[in-house]
Each structure stands twice: as C-alpha cells, then as structure tokens.
Amino acid sequence: MSSGPGAASVPAPDPHDTASAHGTSATKTSMFSSLRIRNYRLFFLGQAVSNTGTWMQRIAQDWLVLSLTGSSAAVGITTALQFLPMLLFGLYGGVLVDRLRKRPTLLVTQTAMALTALALAALTLTGHVEVWHVYLAAFAVGLATVVDNPARQSFVSELVGPGQLQNAVSLNSANFQSARLVGPAVAGLLITGVGTGWAFLLNGLSFVAPLAGLMLMRARDLHAVERAPRGKGQLREGLRYVAGRPELIWPIVLVGFIGTFAFNFPVYLSAFADDVFHGGAGAYSLFNTLAAVGSVSGALLAARRGTARLRLLIIGALAFGAVEILAAVSPALWMFSLLMIPLGLFSMTVNVTTNTSLQMATDPAVRGRVMALYMMVFLGGSPVGAPIVGWITDTYGARVGFATGGAIAVLAATVIGLILARVGGLRLSLAWHRGPRVRFVPRDRQEALAPAA
C-alpha cells in the first residue's frame, strides 16, 4: 500500500495507509537489514538449516512411496494427506495461534515435526517401513503445520517490528527458495548413496537449529503483541474481520485464483518437459531450477523495498500471468527455459507482497487467523486446482493449459485491481504525453482533468 495520498497510492481501499499507519517509509532499505536484529538472525539461521532438511524429506518421502508401491497415485495420496489438515483445520489453527504465545508454540510444533522425521528414519533404516507409515507421517506433519505455519508467519512481526517486516518476510522467502535449490540435490545424493532413511534422519536432526535459535532468543527484545482471550465465536470473528476489510479480502481472493489455476507448476512444467520439448527429467529439473533462481531473486529484490503496496501486488500478478502466456507460446526450449526466471521472480513478488501487506494491515490480535486463512487459500489452492488444470492440459495440450492459467491470473488481477481502485476512491486515467499514460488518480482529480463541455 502507499505511503502517500493521491496518485501515488495503490488502488488502496482503506483510508489508513499501511506504511504510514505503522511508521514505515517507502524508501528502499538495505537488502539484509533485518539480519542486524539478533532474534531475527537466530530465527533466520535456524530456518535455513531446517528448510534444507524439509526439502530433503519431501524428495525422499516421494521416492520412498514410489519404491514401496510403484504407484504415482500413492505419491499423490501422500501429498494430499500432508495438505489435507491445512484445508480442514487451518482456520482453527489460526484461532489457537492468536491465543497462544508464539515462541513456546513454535517450540512444540517444531519438536513434533522433528520426532515425526526421526520415527520415519528409524522405521526406514531398520527395514520395517510400510507405506501406511509414510502416510501417517505425512498427515502428522500436516497437523503440526496447521499451527506452525501461521505461528511462524505472525512471529516475524514480533521479531523485527513493523519497520522491518517487509524486509524480514522477503528474506524468509529467499531462505526457503534457496533451500529449494540445495535440499533436493542433497537428497538425491543421499538416496542414491546410502538410502532414503538417512535423508529422514538428517531432516529430524536439522530441527535442532531452529529449536536452539528459539531458546537463545532474548524475550525482552521481542515486540509484544496483544493476544486474543479465550472466547466463543473467534473463528467467525476472524472471518468477519477479513470480509469487512477490502485490503485483506481482495488480495486473498487474488491469491486464491492464482494459486488454484496458475501456480500448478508440477502439472504444467512436467507436461512441457515431456510432451512439448521431449526433454524428460533433465528438462523438468532445469525448469524448476531456473524458476527457483528467479524466486530467490524476486525475494531479495523485495527485501530492498521499504513497504508492501497493493499496487505492486496487482502489477506483479499481471506480469506473472503475462509471462505464463508468453511461455505457453514459446517455440523453443531455450526461450521457455529463460522465461522460468521472470516467472519465478513475479510469483515471489505476488507471494511476498501479499504476505507483507496482510500482516501490516491486520490488527495483531487477529493476525494468526488472517494468516491462517491466507495460508489455507494459498497452500490449498494448488491441490484443489491440480485436477482441473491437469484435465485441461491432458485434453487440449500443455500450451493451452499453461496459457489458461496465465489468462486467469491476468483476468483476476485486472478485476480485483479495478475493485480496489474503486473502493479506494481512484479512477483509471488515460492520457497522452509523449506516448500513452495509464494510471490511477483520485476521482476529483479525474474530474478536473476532464475537458469542459
């Protein structure tokens, strides 16, 4: 959102500007400024180790299920079981997070995920593992994530305060995407060298880093936030809070459309690697690697911005959809591959901007519920949309499927951008000054610019 009125604003629906309301400026900041804060530095380093272990386990888990069953459908069931708790209980997890202190909560959830990984490692290394064990472990991790995810998201503001929130969220995203480059590679070496059980073991041990970081933090340096008291109707209260604030509900709706139809990269990229360019697993790996490079770049660029503006969210979503459409019609493998970099960059722009703008515009007492709703929509959209976009891709081809996802992203961004502009008292201004100029201006300014009758 904008730090000033008038044409400089995002199509912002709320008179309380996000930046000014929290004392932040719109100027660029140091890319790694949040790391100067000791508590956040401990959090960041712990997550760097744990995220790498998490990506290792994801690869090892899928490979183990495939080796036990020989079924791709079984791999899909494993993934579904891991996301199912967030879809079923995500909002209740947000209610709990708003009631509880974040640091002790994270100590519990991170410990639970560590013990799950160690149990799976023990079963695998001793040769007693069965596919139902993996299913149970995936579901257990999903249950822990119901609370862990919104707690980690909202805990960032307690670590750094509102002035560094944009930077900290961006660095968290860069952290996760960097682990996405390292974790699968290490998992591949472990699986081929010593077996999947060692990947589970290392992931379990990797939780020592975030647990140690949480325990070493200085409680006096945390930015205290008001916790919600226990009471009835808090889930409905959270939903009403979001529904009554356009700057919250419409970004979540936009992410819902994009996450459901445009973020299904496994479906699209595997189809292009296999059916369009006939490059097999090597091409699929290349596409994902280049997309991850773009995501890391996008997160680091976001870390330099001082505030999160809804205007940037709309522009990022439009650019993301446009790149998807352009990639869908790319005639050559090299061109499609290069487009994965801006695709990853703009996808991360959408992700980071939504995350930061929601946190900065939300009352701390309901932040857990708002972030739980956001994560439920964001993480739950892809599994829901995968069968739909998969059917379109199978029936009409990979190019049509990918272009459809991009077109939905562009259409959703356009419609929601216009809605936010109207709610925020802005109008679209079309002018010609050494070329066409398209921008949003206040309605009274639009009337002043109109020619006299």
Side-chain angles (χ1 to χ4, degrees), residues 420-431:
L420 290 174
R422 184 172 182 81
V423 174
L426 304 177
R427 289 183 178 181
L428 188 66
S429 171
L430 303 175

Side-chain angles (χ1 to χ4, degrees), residues 364-376:
V366 294
R367 186 171 286 150
R369 279 164 282 181
V370 173
M371 297 312 295
L373 177 61
Y374 162 65
M375 295 307 299
M376 187 179 72

Side-chain angles (χ1 to χ4, degrees), residues 38-404:
R38 180 181 182 275
N39 281 349
Y40 179 74
R41 189 164 61 246
L42 289 168
F43 180 81
F44 181 89
L45 293 174
Q47 290 301 308
V49 176
S50 182
N51 285 338
T52 302
T54 297
W55 278 106
M56 289 166 54
Q57 173 142 335
R58 286 189 183 186
I59 301 300
Q61 176 180 274
D62 291 348
W63 187 260
L64 177 60
V65 171
L66 191 62
S67 63
L68 288 173
T69 65
S71 168
S72 296
V75 177
I77 291 172
T78 308
T79 302
L81 285 171
Q82 194 156 330
F83 283 105
L84 184 62
M86 181 61 74
L87 288 172
L88 295 177
F89 311 117
L91 292 176
Y92 295 98
V95 172
L96 285 175
V97 167
D98 282 335
R99 292 176 180 173
L100 302 172
R101 289 188 297 155
K102 307 299 185 298
R103 187 162 62 141
T105 300
L106 288 172
L107 285 169
V108 172
T109 57
Q110 297 278 296
T111 300
M113 288 189 281
L115 293 175
T116 301
L118 292 174
L120 194 55
L123 288 168
T124 306
L125 291 172
T126 58
H128 293 96
V129 70
E130 298 180 23
V131 68
W132 70 268
H133 294 141
V134 187
Y135 288 164
L136 184 61
F139 189 74
V141 170
L143 283 175
T145 303
V146 166
V147 176
D148 184 81
N149 229 319
R152 276 191 296 110
Q153 298 285 341
S154 53
F155 187 50
V156 173
S157 64
E158 295 187 28
L159 292 171
V160 300
Q164 292 288 345
L165 185 58
Q166 163 84 5
N167 182 263
V169 169
S170 302
L171 290 181
N172 281 352
S173 298
N175 188 331
F176 186 77
Q177 294 301 325
S178 298
R180 177 183 171 189
L181 293 173
V182 177
V186 176
L189 292 174
L190 288 172
I191 291 169
T192 56
V194 292
T196 55
W198 290 96
F200 298 139
L201 178 61
L202 288 181
N203 178 46
L205 295 176
S206 75
F207 283 95
V208 171
L211 289 171
L214 288 166
M215 288 187 288
L216 288 171
M217 289 177 184
R218 296 171 181 160
R220 66 178 181 274
D221 292 339
L222 294 175
H223 295 256
V225 298
E226 179 186 355
R227 285 186 286 148
R230 292 180 62 87
K232 294 183 179 180
Q234 289 180 325
L235 178 57
R236 291 191 299 273
E237 177 191 350
L239 292 175
R240 284 196 299 268
Y241 180 85
V242 172
R245 295 176 66 96
E247 75 275 23
L248 298 180
I249 185 63
W250 289 115
I252 291 176
V253 170
L254 176 58
V255 166
F257 275 104
I258 293 177
T260 301
F261 298 104
F263 267 11
N264 274 288
F265 294 144
V267 175
Y268 297 134
L269 300 187
S270 59
F272 267 86
D274 227 19
D275 303 332
V276 178
F277 297 119
H278 309 290
Y284 182 58
S285 176
L286 174 64
F287 298 157
N288 280 281
T289 300
L290 291 174
V293 169
S295 296
V296 172
S297 302
L300 291 176
L301 287 173
R304 296 193 64 185
R305 291 190 291 268
T307 57
R309 302 185 177 197
L310 290 182
R311 177 174 61 192
L312 180 63
L313 172 61
I314 299 301
I315 292 172
L318 287 169
F320 173 75
V323 172
E324 277 204 353
I325 295 171
L326 186 59
V329 299
S330 297
L333 174 62
W334 67 267
M335 185 183 297
F336 184 88
S337 300
L338 288 179
L339 285 171
M340 293 300 100
I341 297 176
L343 189 71
L345 189 151
F346 289 122
S347 71
M348 190 52 56
T349 299
V350 172
N351 186 359
V352 171
T353 307
T354 305
N355 188 318
T356 311
S357 63
L358 290 178
Q359 292 208 49
M360 296 181 73
T362 301
D363 188 319
V366 294
R367 186 171 286 150
R369 279 164 282 181
V370 173
M371 297 312 295
L373 177 61
Y374 162 65
M375 295 307 299
M376 187 179 72
V377 171
F378 184 65
L379 294 178
S382 291
V384 170
I388 301 172
V389 300
W391 176 81
I392 295 173
T393 300
D394 287 341
T395 306
Y396 300 103
R399 294 190 184 278
V400 173
F402 208 21
T404 300

Side-chain angles (χ1 to χ4, degrees), residues 2 4-10 311 426 439-442 445:
S2 171
S9 293
V10 179
R311 177 174 61 192
L426 304 177
R439 56 180 178 165
F440 286 101
V441 300
R445 184 175 174 184

